[in-house]
Short mmCIF file of all heavy atoms in Angstrom, two decimals:
data_model
loop_
_atom_site.label_atom_id
_atom_site.label_comp_id
_atom_site.label_asym_id
_atom_site.label_seq_id
_atom_site.Cartn_x
_atom_site.Cartn_y
_atom_site.Cartn_z
N SER A 268 -7.23 19.12 17.25
CA SER A 268 -7.23 18.31 18.47
C SER A 268 -7.54 16.85 18.17
O SER A 268 -8.18 16.54 17.17
CB SER A 268 -8.31 18.83 19.43
OG SER A 268 -8.11 20.19 19.68
N SER A 269 -7.14 16.00 19.10
CA SER A 269 -7.45 14.57 18.98
C SER A 269 -7.15 13.87 20.29
O SER A 269 -6.20 14.24 20.99
CB SER A 269 -6.60 13.95 17.88
OG SER A 269 -6.67 12.54 17.93
N LEU A 270 -7.93 12.88 20.62
CA LEU A 270 -7.61 11.96 21.71
C LEU A 270 -7.35 10.56 21.11
O LEU A 270 -6.25 10.03 21.15
CB LEU A 270 -8.73 11.90 22.73
CG LEU A 270 -8.47 11.08 24.01
CD1 LEU A 270 -9.34 11.59 25.17
CD2 LEU A 270 -8.71 9.60 23.84
N ARG A 271 -8.40 9.98 20.48
CA ARG A 271 -8.31 8.61 19.99
C ARG A 271 -7.28 8.46 18.86
O ARG A 271 -6.45 7.54 18.90
CB ARG A 271 -9.68 8.14 19.45
CG ARG A 271 -10.63 7.67 20.53
CD ARG A 271 -12.04 8.10 20.23
NE ARG A 271 -12.14 9.54 20.35
CZ ARG A 271 -12.39 10.17 21.52
NH1 ARG A 271 -12.64 9.50 22.58
NH2 ARG A 271 -12.41 11.49 21.58
N THR A 272 -7.36 9.31 17.86
CA THR A 272 -6.47 9.15 16.70
C THR A 272 -5.02 9.31 17.13
O THR A 272 -4.14 8.56 16.71
CB THR A 272 -6.84 10.21 15.64
OG1 THR A 272 -8.24 10.09 15.37
CG2 THR A 272 -6.06 10.02 14.38
N ARG A 273 -4.80 10.28 17.98
CA ARG A 273 -3.44 10.57 18.44
C ARG A 273 -2.84 9.38 19.19
O ARG A 273 -1.71 8.97 18.95
CB ARG A 273 -3.52 11.79 19.36
CG ARG A 273 -2.21 12.33 19.80
CD ARG A 273 -2.47 13.49 20.76
NE ARG A 273 -1.23 14.07 21.17
CZ ARG A 273 -0.80 15.27 20.81
NH1 ARG A 273 -1.55 16.03 20.06
NH2 ARG A 273 0.35 15.72 21.21
N ARG A 332 -3.51 15.14 10.34
CA ARG A 332 -4.90 15.52 10.65
C ARG A 332 -5.08 17.00 10.34
O ARG A 332 -4.38 17.86 10.89
CB ARG A 332 -5.24 15.27 12.13
CG ARG A 332 -6.53 15.96 12.56
CD ARG A 332 -7.11 15.48 13.85
NE ARG A 332 -7.78 14.21 13.67
CZ ARG A 332 -8.70 13.71 14.53
NH1 ARG A 332 -9.03 14.39 15.61
NH2 ARG A 332 -9.27 12.55 14.30
N GLU A 364 -7.81 12.18 9.47
CA GLU A 364 -9.04 12.97 9.31
C GLU A 364 -8.69 14.27 8.62
O GLU A 364 -8.04 15.15 9.16
CB GLU A 364 -9.84 13.27 10.60
CG GLU A 364 -11.19 13.91 10.22
CD GLU A 364 -12.18 14.07 11.37
OE1 GLU A 364 -12.00 13.48 12.44
OE2 GLU A 364 -13.14 14.85 11.16
N HIS A 369 -12.43 10.54 6.94
CA HIS A 369 -11.77 10.00 8.13
C HIS A 369 -11.68 8.48 7.94
O HIS A 369 -12.38 7.70 8.58
CB HIS A 369 -12.57 10.36 9.38
CG HIS A 369 -11.83 10.17 10.67
ND1 HIS A 369 -10.57 9.60 10.75
CD2 HIS A 369 -12.18 10.46 11.96
CE1 HIS A 369 -10.18 9.57 12.02
NE2 HIS A 369 -11.13 10.08 12.77
N GLN A 372 -11.23 5.95 10.78
CA GLN A 372 -12.47 5.74 11.54
C GLN A 372 -13.42 4.83 10.76
O GLN A 372 -14.00 3.90 11.33
CB GLN A 372 -13.14 7.09 11.82
CG GLN A 372 -14.37 6.99 12.69
CD GLN A 372 -14.04 6.54 14.11
OE1 GLN A 372 -13.23 7.15 14.79
NE2 GLN A 372 -14.68 5.48 14.58
N CYS A 491 -18.28 7.72 16.78
CA CYS A 491 -16.81 7.77 16.69
C CYS A 491 -16.15 8.36 17.93
O CYS A 491 -14.97 8.13 18.17
CB CYS A 491 -16.41 8.59 15.46
SG CYS A 491 -16.99 10.29 15.53
N LEU A 492 -16.90 9.12 18.71
CA LEU A 492 -16.41 9.87 19.87
C LEU A 492 -15.44 10.97 19.40
O LEU A 492 -14.77 10.78 18.39
CB LEU A 492 -15.72 8.98 20.90
CG LEU A 492 -16.58 7.84 21.50
CD1 LEU A 492 -15.76 7.07 22.54
CD2 LEU A 492 -17.87 8.36 22.13
N PRO A 493 -15.32 12.10 20.10
CA PRO A 493 -16.04 12.43 21.33
C PRO A 493 -17.52 12.70 21.06
O PRO A 493 -17.89 13.14 19.96
CB PRO A 493 -15.34 13.71 21.80
CG PRO A 493 -14.85 14.36 20.55
CD PRO A 493 -14.48 13.23 19.63
N ARG A 519 -9.70 1.30 16.87
CA ARG A 519 -8.89 2.29 16.15
C ARG A 519 -7.43 1.82 16.04
O ARG A 519 -6.76 2.05 15.04
CB ARG A 519 -8.97 3.65 16.83
CG ARG A 519 -10.32 4.37 16.70
CD ARG A 519 -10.64 4.75 15.26
NE ARG A 519 -9.55 5.52 14.68
CZ ARG A 519 -9.44 6.84 14.76
NH1 ARG A 519 -10.36 7.55 15.36
NH2 ARG A 519 -8.42 7.47 14.20
N1 LIG B 764 -12.87 9.54 16.58
C1 LIG B 764 -11.81 10.33 16.57
O1 LIG B 764 -11.18 10.57 15.52
O2 LIG B 764 -11.44 10.80 17.80
P1 LIG B 764 -10.38 11.94 18.06
O3 LIG B 764 -10.90 13.19 17.37
O4 LIG B 764 -10.30 12.09 19.54
O5 LIG B 764 -9.07 11.53 17.46
#
Side-chain angles (χ1 to χ4, degrees):
S268 305
S269 168
L270 186 155
R271 278 141 292 273
T272 306
R273 187 183 182 110
R332 166 165 283 200
E364 189 172 345
H369 195 355
Q372 184 67 55
C491 61
L492 301 181
R519 289 295 306 273

